[in-house]
């Protein structure tokens, strides 16, 4: 996360460590958070920072903890409300999630409204993500919340489309990216236990896109028709889109570290 002139970095090997670094990368302060690992059966801990608070979660365990940046103690703000595979902080009382519908087994977007009385409210929006093949692999993608403007985005991994929603997760726009893949090119096989798996590698179109100040920054996964092969191999390409209109603004290249 980021706030004012500080960047916040988590450590996957030591998830209890939260490092605050100034924008000049000269000063760093580490906070060792008390995660109470013996109390909660975490499997894959994630940490996000927004507005001087950090949020700890693991969608495999339906729990979300919140603490103030710099404090080692956190408190539970959501317990047994929902399992989820992705989470984005909208504001101090609302969290966007991606979960698996228990009824359709499709990926679904929703929100958790945090109430001070402990009676949180989960709202699902099953019409946002559109099923093409199986409703799970074909709808995979990345959720992002704009820290400046009241919008949330979701970009599909395997098709050329992204969604823009308001903080109530009401759809504002469905936009296309500049790639031509409209239908997810995946092949899914059903297993004897009722689950499914991809039977061959899928053609990935979009990366982990981030929305910021009304722009969507998407790490391109496919080389453009007129793009230099050498430039493509030597760089990470970030395609930039306007989220208020169907507009591709341009691309920026970030050279690979040699």
């Amino acid at each position: 996360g980021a706030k004012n002139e500080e960047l916040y970095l988590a450590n996957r090997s030591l998830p209890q460590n939260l490092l605050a670094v100034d924008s000049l990368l000269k000063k760093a302060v580490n906070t060792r958070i008390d995660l109470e690992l013996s109390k909660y059966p975490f499997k894959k801990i994630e940490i996000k920072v927004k507005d001087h608070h950090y949020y700890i979660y693991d969608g495999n365990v339906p729990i979300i903890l919140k603490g103030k940046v710099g404090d080692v103690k956190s408190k539970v703000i959501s317990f047994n409300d929902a399992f989820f595979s992705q989470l984005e902080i909208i504001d101090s009382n609302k969290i966007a999630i991606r979960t698996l519908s228990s009824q359709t087994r499709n990926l679904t977007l929703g929100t958790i409204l945090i109430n001070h009385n402990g009676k949180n409210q989960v709202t699902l929006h099953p019409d946002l993500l559109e099923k093409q093949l199986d409703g799970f692999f074909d709808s995979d993608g990345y959720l992002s919340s704009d820290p400046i403007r009241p919008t949330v985005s979701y970009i599909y991994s395997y098709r050329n489309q992204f969604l823009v929603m308001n903080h109530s997760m009401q759809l504002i726009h469905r936009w296309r990216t500049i790639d031509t893949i409209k239908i997810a090119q995946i092949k899914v096989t059903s297993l004897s236990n009722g689950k499914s798996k991809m039977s061959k590698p899928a053609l990935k179109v979009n990366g982990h896109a981030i929305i910021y100040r009304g722009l969507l920054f998407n790490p391109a996964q496919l080389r453009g028709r007129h793009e230099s092969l050498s430039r493509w191999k030597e760089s990470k390409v970030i395609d930039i889109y306007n989220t208020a209109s169907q507009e591709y603004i341009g691309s920026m290249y970030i050279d690979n570290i040699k």
Side-chain angles (χ1 to χ4, degrees):
K3 179 65 177 177
N4 296 331
E5 296 183 355
E6 281 191 322
L7 301 175
Y8 298 97
L9 304 175
N11 187 322
R12 292 193 180 277
S13 300
L14 297 170
Q16 65 268 41
N17 288 352
L18 181 62
L19 188 67
V21 183
D22 73 327
S23 58
L24 297 177
L25 304 181
K26 292 184 176 181
K27 182 181 178 182
V29 177
N30 184 66
T31 300
R32 187 178 177 87
I33 302 168
D34 183 3
L35 293 180
E36 298 185 85
L37 296 177
S38 60
K39 186 176 181 180
Y40 304 114
F42 292 121
K43 295 180 180 179
K44 184 183 177 183
I45 295 174
E46 302 279 350
I47 299 179
K48 287 186 182 293
V49 175
K50 183 177 175 65
D51 297 334
H52 302 297
H53 288 89
Y54 60 81
Y55 298 79
I56 302 168
Y57 61 96
D58 177 348
N60 298 298
V61 181
I63 184 171
I64 304 172
L65 299 98
K66 179 181 179 180
K68 190 173 182 180
V69 171
D71 289 351
V72 300
K73 292 291 184 180
S74 59
K75 65 177 182 178
V76 176
I77 60 172
S78 174
F79 184 70
N80 278 340
D81 291 320
F83 291 92
F84 50 87
S85 52
Q86 290 187 30
L87 173 152
E88 282 291 325
I89 309 301
I90 293 178
D91 57 37
S92 60
N93 296 315
K94 184 176 286 188
I95 296 170
I97 61 171
R98 190 189 72 176
T99 185
L100 187 67
S101 170
S102 59
Q103 296 178 345
T104 65
R105 308 306 295 172
N106 294 340
L107 289 180
T108 304
L109 300 182
T111 57
I112 301 176
L113 182 63
I114 307 298
N115 292 312
H116 296 296
N117 61 8
K119 297 180 179 180
N120 297 337
Q121 180 180 347
V122 178
T123 304
L124 300 182
H125 301 271
D127 296 331
L128 287 173
L129 300 185
E130 296 179 327
K131 177 180 177 179
Q132 289 186 335
L133 300 169
D134 68 321
F136 181 76
F137 292 110
D138 65 352
S139 297
D140 194 15
Y142 300 97
L143 187 64
S144 180
S145 178
D146 194 322
I148 306 298
R149 300 186 180 183
T151 50
V152 178
S153 67
Y154 187 86
I155 190 167
Y156 290 106
S157 293
Y158 305 115
R159 59 180 112 157
N160 63 347
Q161 189 180 73
F162 65 92
L163 286 61
V164 182
M165 297 147 287
N166 61 21
H167 278 180
S168 296
M169 298 300 279
Q170 296 173 323
L171 183 67
I172 303 174
H173 302 295
R174 290 185 191 272
W175 298 133
R176 294 285 183 187
T177 64
I178 56 175
D179 294 289
T180 59
I181 310 298
K182 291 185 177 181
I183 304 297
Q185 297 186 17
I186 62 175
K187 187 174 182 180
V188 179
T189 300
S190 298
L191 303 178
S192 58
N193 60 4
K195 297 183 179 181
S196 300
K197 71 171 186 177
M198 283 192 185
S199 53
K200 68 176 184 179
L203 180 66
K204 191 168 185 179
V205 177
N206 301 306
H208 193 160
I210 300 296
I211 186 172
Y212 182 75
R213 289 187 181 272
L215 300 177
L216 188 75
F217 298 84
N218 176 39
Q221 302 297 300
L222 299 176
R223 183 167 66 96
R225 182 181 304 174
H226 304 292
E227 204 154 30
S228 164
L229 179 59
S230 60
R231 191 74 170 106
W232 172 261
K233 290 182 176 180
E234 294 171 356
S235 311
K236 300 297 182 185
V237 183
I238 310 296
D239 294 334
I240 306 170
Y241 298 91
N242 189 339
T243 61
S245 63
Q246 180 65 73
E247 180 187 8
Y248 161 68
I249 294 176
S251 299
M252 63 180 180
Y253 294 81
I254 301 176
D255 292 339
N256 295 329
I257 298 176
K258 298 180 179 180

